[in-house]
Amino acid sequence: MGPAPSVTRLTAPEIAAHLGVPLLRGRQILAWVARGARGFEEMTDLPAALREALPAKLRLLSSEISEIRESPDSTRKLLVRLEDGELVECVLIPAETRLTLCISSQVGCPARCAFCASGMLGFTRSLLAHEIFEEFLHAAHVAGGAGEITNLVLMGMGEPLLNYDEVVAAVRRLPLGKRRITLSTVGLPDRIRRLAREGLPLNLAVSLHAPDDETRNRLVPVNRKYGIDEVVAAARDYFRETGRDVTFEYILIEGENAGPEHARRLAGLLRGGNLNVNLIPMNPVEGLPFRPPTPENVEAFRRRLEAAGIPVHVRTPRGREIDAACGQLRLRRMKTSRPPPSGGQQPVAEGPPRA
Ligand code: SAH
């Protein structure tokens, strides 16, 4: 017999059947998990006898926090150990009135963009919906409650649209509230159009990074399959169908895509339609030759887009010191073996405060 199944991967009827209790109990247990319970003893509306029997039959979560690192700018990176020992990262980024959580959708990444650390170690596997959901639960615990997280971005390791079904299922399980959720993709046109029909409250970010096929083929190899016009057309369709925010991410890399001519072509490509541009000075990645332009050149690029009427924003890099900035997420630690089972209880993580 394997370890007890985790609550997060079951539905309410499955929990009830597994325990041989009424459906209501399954619903209560799931609601507690969504509210951030870290132990069955917290589930005070369950009969005491059931509460005590639970740890032998179920685990709350399938994953655990293995490490938390904090950067001087208060960005926190959580390393989460999955059931099979694989590790993924998620990042909590505070800013003024916001707290943004950036979560991963895959272990490694198959997209292999030229400037990104995530693909450098290859691709191991996609996450399951409950594992993505658990990243949120862990981060909410560390943040002091789910309500603290105001923005959620699927912008960590992996290409979410190459793990379509599990990502969509995970988003459906997230307690939404007023939270803004953005999915960032390398730009897969057919999947963007399919996503537009899911009826999810998802903003879209497309990692464009170039104004023409020649440049984009080099930086984002996936582009060779679709071409940049198709990618931009799909993003326009997403906006037309959902009315949600569509943003193009554009990393500025010195000598590659950051010249005046690139800015002019980008403005031409995005003219018309409510399309925003997020300029991101490239975060240096150890072992890669790419560098960001000078702040003056970043500013000049921004001004050129603005002058052409394109809504543009420059994103400040955060968490660089702990390799938590965009494109720096990459596992530096070797896999460690699963800890021994501790009576079916979710092991207490090394780092986080007890809420
Ligand atoms: N696969 C998805 C989501 C993960 S990458 C995507 O491509 O959008 C999240 C964002 O970080 C993308 O815009 C990606 O291009 C960007 N990024 C990757 N490497 C970077 C780096 N070194 N500096 C700055 N941004 C980077």
Side-chain angles (χ1 to χ4, degrees):
M1 224 182 72
S6 70
V7 169
T8 48
R9 71 179 307 165
L10 302 175
T11 61
E14 283 166 350
I15 294 171
H18 178 76
L19 298 172
V21 297
L23 177 60
L24 167 70
R25 301 297 177 212
R27 293 214 181 102
Q28 285 172 312
I29 292 170
L30 274 185
W32 276 107
V33 170
R35 258 181 275 150
R38 302 297 280 192
F40 291 109
E41 70 284 353
E42 293 172 40
M43 303 183 179
T44 46
D45 55 0
L46 297 179
L50 174 60
R51 217 157 53 212
E52 280 152 30
L54 281 175
K57 297 181 175 166
L58 285 175
R59 282 176 303 153
L60 270 183
L61 308 178
S62 69
S63 61
E64 60 178 337
I65 300 175
S66 105
E67 192 183 321
I68 300 176
R69 295 176 69 190
E70 181 157 354
S71 141
D73 69 6
S74 298
T75 297
R76 275 171 295 180
K77 178 162 84 171
L78 281 61
L79 196 57
V80 174
R81 187 186 294 119
L82 307 175
E83 211 163 357
D84 61 358
E86 294 295 344
L87 297 163
V88 284
E89 295 172 330
C90 48
V91 187
L92 277 165
I93 311 147
E96 289 150 29
T97 57
R98 294 194 308 270
L99 180 61
T100 300
L101 170 63
C102 175
I103 60 184
S104 297
S105 58
Q106 299 182 312
V107 183
C109 186
R112 306 261 182 174
C113 298
F115 43 80
C116 180
S118 289
M120 285 170 69
L121 294 185
F123 169 65
T124 305
R125 71 170 174 91
S126 284
L127 298 192
L128 297 168
H130 73 279
E131 294 174 320
I132 298 170
F133 180 54
E134 287 183 24
E135 286 182 68
F136 174 79
L137 294 178
H138 287 306
H141 179 63
V142 170
E148 301 296 316
I149 298 172
T150 56
N151 296 51
L152 192 80
V153 293
L154 276 151
M155 230 178 246
M157 254 189 300
E159 169 46 47
L161 296 187
L162 286 177
N163 185 19
Y164 189 95
D165 292 339
E166 300 296 324
V167 164
V168 165
V171 171
R172 289 198 202 287
R173 295 185 61 175
L174 292 170
L176 290 175
K178 290 201 171 62
R179 198 170 289 122
R180 260 178 75 87
I181 308 188
T182 303
L183 182 146
S184 178
T185 174
V186 74
L188 309 173
D190 44 336
R191 306 245 166 132
I192 289 175
R193 294 201 172 89
R194 184 170 156 207
L195 191 67
R197 297 189 297 266
E198 298 283 353
L200 290 171
L202 270 181
N203 300 313
L204 184 71
V206 176
S207 294
L208 199 63
H209 308 325
D212 57 72
D213 279 326
E214 203 240 297
T215 314
R216 194 164 197 262
N217 287 348
R218 223 174 27 225
L219 296 176
V220 184
V222 172
N223 191 65
R224 293 173 200 153
K225 194 158 165 202
Y226 304 99
I228 198 167
D229 291 338
E230 257 306 291
V231 174
V232 174
R236 286 188 197 274
D237 286 351
Y238 190 88
F239 176 74
R240 211 171 303 126
E241 235 175 275
T242 64
R244 300 230 144 233
D245 290 356
V246 174
T247 303
F248 289 100
E249 295 161 280
Y250 196 104
I251 301 183
L252 289 167
I253 310 175
E254 183 61 39
E256 291 286 333
N257 66 355
E261 186 55 23
H262 296 106
R264 197 186 59 76
R265 261 181 265 152
L266 183 62
L269 186 68
L270 303 185
R271 215 185 305 280
N274 297 269
L275 306 170
N276 308 289
V277 173
N278 249 347
L279 294 177
I280 312 160
M282 150 101 196
N283 289 309
V285 171
E286 211 183 294
L288 295 181
F290 301 120
R291 292 287 166 269
T294 62
E296 296 72 35
N297 287 349
V298 170
E299 179 54 20
F301 199 95
R302 187 190 69 75
R303 262 190 273 109
R304 284 201 174 84
L305 291 182
E306 206 172 64
I310 310 280
V312 56
H313 177 82
V314 178
R315 196 194 288 164
T316 336
R318 301 287 305 273
R320 272 185 180 169
E321 298 83 354
I322 53 168
D323 294 321
C326 271
Q328 290 187 337
L329 294 189
R330 181 171 56 144
L331 306 168
R332 283 174 187 256
R333 283 183 10 169
M334 296 302 289
K335 276 206 276 186
T336 50
S337 56
R338 267 183 67 77
S342 51
Q345 277 284 22
Q346 169 69 16
V348 176
E350 292 155 25
R354 304 278 291 166

